[in-house]
Amino acid sequence: MLAFYYFIPNALSLFFASSSIVLLGIVHFIERKRHKKSFTFGLIVCLTTISFGSLFTNLHNEKRHDTHYLKLATTEQPITFRIKSLLKPSLYSEKYIIDILNIGDRTAYGKALLNVAKSDSTSRLDVDNIYTTKTALNPIQNPLNPNQFDYKAYLEKQYIYKQLSTTTPQLFLISTEKHTIYGYADAIRKHINSSLNTYHFSADELSIINALILGQRQDISKDITTHYINAGAIHILAVSGLHVGLILYLLTFLFKPLHRFKNGKLIAGIIIIILLWCFAIIAGLSSSVTRAVTMFSIVAFAMHSKRPTNIYNTLAFSILILVLCKPLILFDVGFQLSYLAVIAIVSIQPLLANLWTPKYYIPKKLWDVFTVTLAAQFGVLPISLFYFHQIPGLFFIANLLIIPFLGVILGLGILVIALASVALLPQFLADFYGGIIGLMNTLMAWISQHDAFLLKGISFSLLQVLSGYLIIVFLIGYFKNSTYKWLRLTFISIVVFYGVLIYSEFESSDSSFTVFHKSRYTILGKKENKALNIASNLDSIDHFRSLESYVTEQRIGSTRFDTLQSLYRYNDRYVLLIDSLGVYNLTNLNPDYIILINSPKINLNRLLKTLQPKAIIADGSNYKSYVARWKTTCLKTRIPFHSTYEKGAFIMEY
């Protein structure tokens, strides 16, 4: 994190890393016979890990390569690239991550985003295919409205800095040979899907099978995804720790007879780890799959070794391995959620399980599932509110209905895929498994319909996340130790949390006027403390969904909708709206700001001389050609010009 937010030269990182490791070796040699290490030793260990973290972050920074495409001229040069992976398509385009290979006749390096416009003849590009195109690399757009998801920053944490937007006819195929492990994995998945297609699975059933077993969620419909999210069971569709843990359990049970032989436990462990990584490869080595398999490979090694193990050390070691291989995985939401959930399960679940001990088998298993689910929810609650702003109140029902049978569903799914791949799958088994997937989808749809139990629009700041986890940590400490010290720390953490809450409420109590960006429409917002007045020319309030994140983050309590007016006044500042009619007859009034909407046919030079505004604003309802012409005029007359196409929303605080 230090190296990500602050620039540290490579030479300095290397110097600190080498110096700290030498110093650590010296101190360790001096204290090698001490049972308990000194404070100095612990401090040097911390400094060593920080310096190595900085070094590895710099080493993984792809922009440092001299051949990175950001350092090469890309205009009017053909670009050759390889398809690396498929992303979930948008409404208008198929999306891919690509590796740049050449720009013109020069070797290039780096990852980029590829957008291929959809058409009737568009088919998905295969992983590892190599193409060339004359389309230029373009910057990835910043968010145009306040509190909007920053897709550009998200991609930059994956070392993706630019994008190609093209059509299928503009792509020229160079090679279809497989060059990487991602290509072979994609070929295996395509073979599996072509085999499954012969057994008449529905599109929704096939998409869920791909998500559950193969880690591919691109084809899941928006409705199905929404149902699982609202039911609090979206983790079921993402191959992660839950799935890999169940697979590890199944493999451990399958290879348990090997334990009877000499070194059988070690051999079983090696086979299990190999099979886990084979599964990861078939699933495309995505971040979530790689993370989960790395974690459970270390867990499997610990289980099958003869040394005593500690689950917290095992988790910490798996985190260390992951961040050394991919430092910016720290910013991955899935990484944060999965490890927080696992840590919460191993620390909180035993406390919850001890609250009640059922006598019978079925209640005991259901209680175990419930306590595991509840512990995981405690662990991820603060950070889930920060990212997703909602709490699915019926999450325990969804998990109680699915989790006890997920091992069977996964095991049966693997069997179905294996038999289908060799054309030995009986139709009745395919129909039975398709029925199970359909039933699971129906259950999630039914649970998600109960909107009263879905708490949405919850604003949660980063400070609230940190103070929330303080409460959770100290509560766990208190329930484990039951001492006055831990009780005092718990109360202090609660006071800190409420202090942060009051600060967040105070910070959002301001007033502002905003010209939002919306293609083909005009949206103006007047915010006074926690009340928002929206004026727009939209036909339906459904279009206001684009402002949901703004309403949540700004802690808006009430929203009122209105029609557009020609003139607004905020304190001593006037804002004039000029629409397609181009009427602006004003007497004895010079507006501070002029907003141009719906492409008015006006003489801007004359308008500037007549009204003498301080700035001109053009929103997303205008033709881009008009906006470009107005921008040129304002530059000549030295009047500030703000286009929401380029700069995003215009915000005036008062």
Side-chain angles (χ1 to χ4, degrees):
M1 291 181 68
L2 183 69
F4 179 79
Y5 287 111
Y6 301 98
F7 173 72
I8 302 175
N10 291 338
L12 192 61
S13 297
L14 183 60
F15 170 76
F16 278 121
S18 55
S19 300
S20 60
I21 197 69
V22 170
L23 188 60
L24 181 63
I26 294 171
V27 175
H28 177 64
F29 179 78
I30 295 172
E31 300 186 4
R32 65 189 185 280
K33 294 183 180 180
R34 292 183 60 173
H35 178 68
K36 186 176 181 180
K37 300 297 182 183
S38 66
F39 173 79
T40 303
F41 178 82
L43 180 62
I44 295 173
V45 167
C46 289
L47 293 175
T48 302
T49 56
I50 291 171
S51 59
F52 267 85
S54 170
L55 177 64
F56 273 79
T57 303
N58 284 344
L59 291 176
H60 281 84
N61 186 359
E62 296 183 356
K63 289 194 291 186
R64 70 185 180 87
H65 292 276
D66 293 334
T67 57
H68 195 275
Y69 63 80
L70 291 179
K71 298 181 179 180
L72 302 176
T74 60
T75 56
E76 299 182 1
Q77 295 273 358
I79 297 173
T80 305
F81 59 87
R82 178 192 295 122
I83 304 295
K84 182 179 178 68
S85 61
L86 283 68
L87 300 177
K88 192 174 183 65
S90 66
L91 189 62
Y92 302 107
S93 62
E94 299 284 350
K95 292 180 174 291
Y96 308 86
I97 294 176
I98 59 174
D99 288 321
I100 304 295
L101 302 178
N102 297 97
I103 296 178
D105 56 355
R106 296 188 61 181
T107 300
Y109 177 78
K111 292 185 291 186
L113 179 68
L114 173 67
N115 304 296
V116 182
K118 287 183 178 179
S119 66
D120 295 337
S121 59
T122 300
S123 59
R124 283 190 177 172
L125 310 181
D126 291 336
V127 175
D128 262 7
N129 280 8
I130 296 177
Y131 295 87
T132 187
T133 183
K134 290 185 178 181
T135 306
L137 283 165
N138 294 309
I140 298 169
Q141 195 171 46
N142 289 309
L144 295 178
N145 286 316
N147 305 116
Q148 192 176 5
F149 175 66
D150 195 341
Y151 191 50
K152 179 179 181 180
Y154 167 76
L155 290 177
E156 284 181 352
K157 291 184 176 70
Q158 301 179 53
Y159 307 108
I160 299 171
Y161 304 101
K162 288 197 175 185
Q163 63 180 344
L164 283 169
S165 297
T166 184
T167 59
T168 303
Q170 293 176 303
L171 296 176
F172 303 95
L173 183 62
I174 302 297
S175 171
T176 58
E177 294 182 9
K178 302 302 177 187
H179 303 84
T180 67
I181 197 169
Y182 299 101
Y184 291 111
D186 184 62
I188 293 172
R189 290 194 300 271
K190 288 191 73 174
H191 171 71
I192 290 172
N193 274 283
S194 63
S195 301
L196 291 173
N197 280 328
T198 62
Y199 292 92
H200 310 296
F201 289 102
S202 69
D204 284 339
E205 291 169 357
L206 198 58
S207 66
I208 297 298
I209 293 172
N210 271 276
L212 281 174
I213 315 298
L214 303 178
Q216 305 300 305
R217 296 194 293 170
Q218 298 93 337
D219 296 324
I220 301 178
S221 67
K222 186 177 180 180
D223 289 340
I224 295 290
T225 302
T226 302
H227 293 160
Y228 277 81
I229 290 174
N230 293 343
I234 189 62
H235 57 281
I236 292 173
L237 300 184
V239 174
S240 56
L242 175 64
H243 302 72
V244 178
L246 288 170
I247 292 172
L248 173 61
Y249 177 80
L250 293 173
L251 292 175
T252 302
F253 176 78
L254 185 64
F255 290 102
K256 196 169 184 178
L258 288 178
H259 295 186
R260 302 175 183 176
F261 302 98
K262 184 180 180 181
N263 297 322
K265 197 171 184 180
L266 178 62
I267 294 170
I270 293 172
I271 294 173
I272 288 172
I273 292 173
I274 292 172
L275 290 176
L276 285 178
W277 280 102
C278 289
F279 170 75
I281 292 170
I282 293 174
L285 288 173
S286 64
S287 295
S288 61
V289 175
T290 305
R291 178 178 63 247
V293 171
T294 300
M295 179 171 67
F296 280 100
S297 293
I298 296 170
V299 170
F301 176 78
M303 288 170 53
H304 292 85
S305 65
K306 296 181 180 179
R307 297 183 59 184
T309 59
N310 179 293
I311 185 61
Y312 295 104
N313 288 344
T314 302
L315 291 173
F317 185 63
S318 66
I319 292 174
L320 175 64
I321 295 298
L322 286 170
V323 296
L324 287 177
C325 296
K326 188 179 179 183
L328 297 191
I329 199 173
L330 279 173
F331 299 98
D332 188 284
V333 178
F335 172 85
Q336 298 167 10
L337 290 173
S338 62
Y339 272 101
L340 286 170
V342 172
I343 292 170
I345 289 170
V346 300
S347 59
I348 300 176
Q349 193 271 339
L351 300 175
L352 296 175
N354 290 334
L355 296 176
W356 180 46
T357 306
K359 295 181 180 180
Y360 302 103
Y361 180 80
I362 293 179
K364 185 177 184 304
K365 289 300 178 183
L366 291 176
W367 176 245
D368 287 342
V369 172
F370 176 73
T371 54
V372 167
T373 303
L374 194 60
Q377 288 294 328
F378 273 129
V380 302
L381 179 61
I383 203 165
S384 294
L385 289 175
F386 177 69
Y387 286 121
F388 309 117
H389 309 295
Q390 66 178 34
I391 302 175
L394 296 179
F395 68 88
F396 60 94
I397 294 180
N399 286 277
L400 282 174
L401 292 174
I402 300 298
I403 298 299
F405 309 103
L406 189 58
V408 176
I409 294 172
L410 287 174
L412 188 58
I414 293 171
L415 178 63
V416 165
I417 285 176
L419 293 176
S421 299
V422 292
L424 294 177
L425 177 64
Q427 186 61 48
F428 79 88
L429 184 58
D431 294 338
F432 176 70
Y433 191 66
I436 291 175
I437 299 298
L439 177 62
M440 188 168 69
N441 290 342
T442 303
L443 284 172
M444 294 303 106
W446 176 77
I447 293 172
S448 69
Q449 288 175 357
H450 296 77
D451 295 335
F453 295 95
L454 180 63
L455 306 178
K456 300 177 70 175
I458 303 173
S459 178
F460 218 70
S461 66
L462 183 59
L463 284 176
Q464 286 176 284
V465 172
L466 298 176
S467 56
Y469 277 116
L470 276 180
I471 295 176
I472 292 173
V473 169
F474 291 144
L475 272 176
I476 295 171
Y478 173 71
F479 283 114
K480 284 188 174 182
N481 300 286
S482 298
T483 62
Y484 174 72
K485 172 187 173 182
W486 285 102
L487 180 62
R488 182 176 58 186
L489 289 173
T490 302
F491 275 111
I492 291 173
S493 65
I494 293 173
V495 171
V496 170
F497 178 80
Y498 273 98
V500 170
L501 183 62
I502 293 170
Y503 170 76
S504 300
E505 293 288 333
F506 175 77
E507 193 179 34
S508 63
S509 299
D510 57 357
S511 298
S512 63
F513 171 75
T514 304
V515 181
F516 294 97
H517 178 82
K518 178 73 174 178
S519 180
R520 297 177 298 174
Y521 295 99
T522 295
I523 304 178
L524 308 180
K526 179 184 178 183
K527 176 181 177 293
E528 291 183 345
N529 296 326
K530 293 188 177 181
L532 179 64
N533 184 21
I534 298 176
S536 173
N537 56 3
L538 297 178
D539 296 330
S540 171
I541 62 172
D542 291 339
H543 291 95
F544 290 109
R545 290 177 180 175
S546 57
L547 300 184
E548 280 184 350
S549 59
Y550 174 81
V551 170
T552 299
E553 294 289 350
Q554 296 295 324
R555 302 173 184 268
I556 301 298
S558 62
T559 305
R560 190 167 68 89
F561 301 102
D562 201 354
T563 57
L564 293 171
Q565 306 296 323
S566 297
L567 189 66
Y568 294 91
R569 181 180 177 180
Y570 303 101
N571 289 347
D572 295 328
R573 286 176 281 187
Y574 288 90
V575 179
L576 175 65
L577 210 66
I578 300 179
D579 59 14
S580 57
L581 298 177
V583 177
Y584 57 90
N585 291 325
L586 297 176
T587 56
N588 302 322
L589 178 64
N590 295 107
D592 297 274
Y593 301 95
I594 293 177
I595 304 174
L596 304 176
I597 68 171
N598 296 331
S599 307
K601 296 179 180 180
I602 57 173
N603 187 319
L604 189 59
N605 265 317
R606 186 188 305 154
L607 182 146
L608 295 176
K609 290 178 181 178
T610 304
L611 300 181
Q612 299 178 350
K614 294 179 180 177
I616 299 292
I617 301 119
D619 71 355
S621 66
N622 298 290
Y623 296 130
K624 289 186 177 181
S625 58
Y626 281 42
V627 174
R629 188 169 67 247
W630 295 334
K631 181 180 179 181
T632 303
T633 303
C634 288
L635 285 174
K636 290 179 180 178
T637 55
R638 297 184 179 181
I639 297 293
F641 181 78
H642 185 106
S643 168
T644 61
Y645 282 109
E646 298 177 359
K647 300 179 181 179
F650 173 82
I651 302 174
M652 179 182 71
E653 296 183 350
Y654 61 93

